[in-house]
Every structure is written in structure tokens, then in C-alpha cells.
Amino acid sequence: MAKRKSSPPRQSAPAQVKPTHPSAGFFRRLGSWVYDALIVLSLLIIGGFIGLGVAYLLLALGLTQLEEGKDMADLLSHSLLYTAWLAAIIIGFYAWFWVRAGQTIGMRAWRLRVQNKDGSNITLTQALIRMATSAFGLGTLMVLFSDKSFQDIWAECEMVVLTKEENLEQLNK
């Protein structure tokens, strides 16, 4: 009986590798943060006016009183409810944009996107973890020494730089 020659092992077709995006650097993140800080500040001003209006309404209805010599700013500055209202505005801004599109307005201007490793949008839980661990942006300082920020590690996501075409595609979604 003749020996059968073994055929060389078949090489499988190379797997389609999804192009990886470069990690966002510190100064690009900082630029995005400044843009977003201006927008958040304007939202806080609007939220402050709404809170002030509600406080005056409560005062007019007799549901709250001001001590003699105090003004509305004293009442609001010591109110946990008012502080929670302003915090909800900040959290809502970032959570809304990150969960729906992966980009805030400032991130769109700087072509940044926060996403999971597979390119999908992050979840609400991940967005809340990112905000809780960011230390008001100080977690981003870690990018000076690594390609990930503190909040990226804890939320198990990444912030990447998009190409102009990909950013435009994200804007049109």
C-alpha cells in the first residue's frame, strides 16, 4: 500500500480585523472638557433660574420661610435638594450624550468618542461609573502616563479619536 502524502495544513483566511482607533491624548481630552464645561455651565445657569423660580413659588405659597436678614441665596445654598438638582443636571448631560451617541458636544468638536472595546455605546451604568471615578476630570491626568484614564479603566471602556469621516458619520446618526 502506498503511503498517502499529507497535504500541508490549510491556512484559514485572515480574520477581518476591525481597525483600531488611536487612544485620545491628554490635550485633546482637555479641549473637549473645556467645551463641555462651558455648555454644562450654561445648563447650570438655566437650572439655577428654575430652582430660584421654584423657591420663590414655595415662598409665595407659604410652604417655606426666610429668616430675617436672609435672602434666597442663603436658602438655596443650604438646600440639599437644590444641590441634588444641580448635580442631576451635570450627570444627566454626560449620561445622555455618552449612552445615546458616545459623544458630548465638546467630544464631537474634538472628534472623540467613548465606547466599549467592540465599538458599541457604553451603558448607563458605565456612564455613571465614569462620572463617579473621574474626580471632576482629575482622573484624566493618568493619560499623561498611560493610554487610558482612571475612569476608562473602572468603567471598562475607551476614549478614541475618530477620523473626520467617522465623526461626520456619527453626527449624521
Side-chain angles (χ1 to χ4, degrees):
M1 241 172 143
K3 282 190 173 179
R4 194 184 267 185
K5 289 186 180 179
S6 62
S7 60
R10 290 186 188 181
Q11 293 183 356
S12 59
Q16 293 293 332
V17 178
K18 184 180 167 233
T20 58
H21 295 91
S23 181
F26 175 75
F27 291 107
R28 191 176 284 264
R29 290 177 192 236
L30 182 64
S32 169
W33 181 85
V34 169
Y35 276 45
D36 287 335
L38 293 172
I39 295 165
V40 167
L41 180 63
S42 66
L43 291 174
L44 289 174
I45 291 170
I46 293 168
F49 280 132
I50 292 170
L52 193 63
V54 169
Y56 273 114
L57 180 64
L58 293 174
L59 189 62
L61 294 174
L63 298 173
T64 189
Q65 294 180 346
L66 288 175
E67 296 176 24
E68 192 170 326
K70 302 284 183 176
D71 62 1
M72 194 59 70
D74 290 320
L75 178 68
L76 291 178
S77 67
H78 294 96
S79 170
L80 289 177
L81 186 60
Y82 183 68
T83 303
W85 163 247
L86 295 178
I89 290 172
I90 297 168
I91 292 168
F93 171 80
Y94 285 104
W96 173 266
F97 281 102
W98 286 344
V99 170
R100 289 187 51 98
Q103 295 177 298
T104 60
I105 297 168
M107 291 169 72
R108 288 179 182 189
W110 286 86
R111 295 189 349 241
L112 299 176
R113 184 173 183 336
V114 63
Q115 63 185 17
N116 288 312
K117 300 258 189 244
D118 64 358
S120 63
N121 291 342
I122 64 172
T123 64
L124 179 59
T125 304
Q126 286 175 298
L128 295 175
I129 291 170
R130 273 185 64 80
M131 284 181 267
T133 58
S134 70
F136 301 103
L138 292 177
T140 305
L141 290 174
M142 189 171 164
V143 174
L144 293 170
F145 309 102
S146 172
D147 64 339
K148 285 192 156 234
S149 67
F150 188 73
Q151 57 268 28
D152 291 339
I153 293 168
W154 277 92
E156 297 177 350
C157 58
E158 61 185 2
M159 187 174 293
V160 297
V161 179
L162 300 175
T163 64
K164 289 180 182 179
E165 294 79 23
E166 290 170 327
N167 196 44
L168 187 59
E169 188 179 303
Q170 286 290 320
L171 290 172
N172 292 330
K173 280 187 179 180

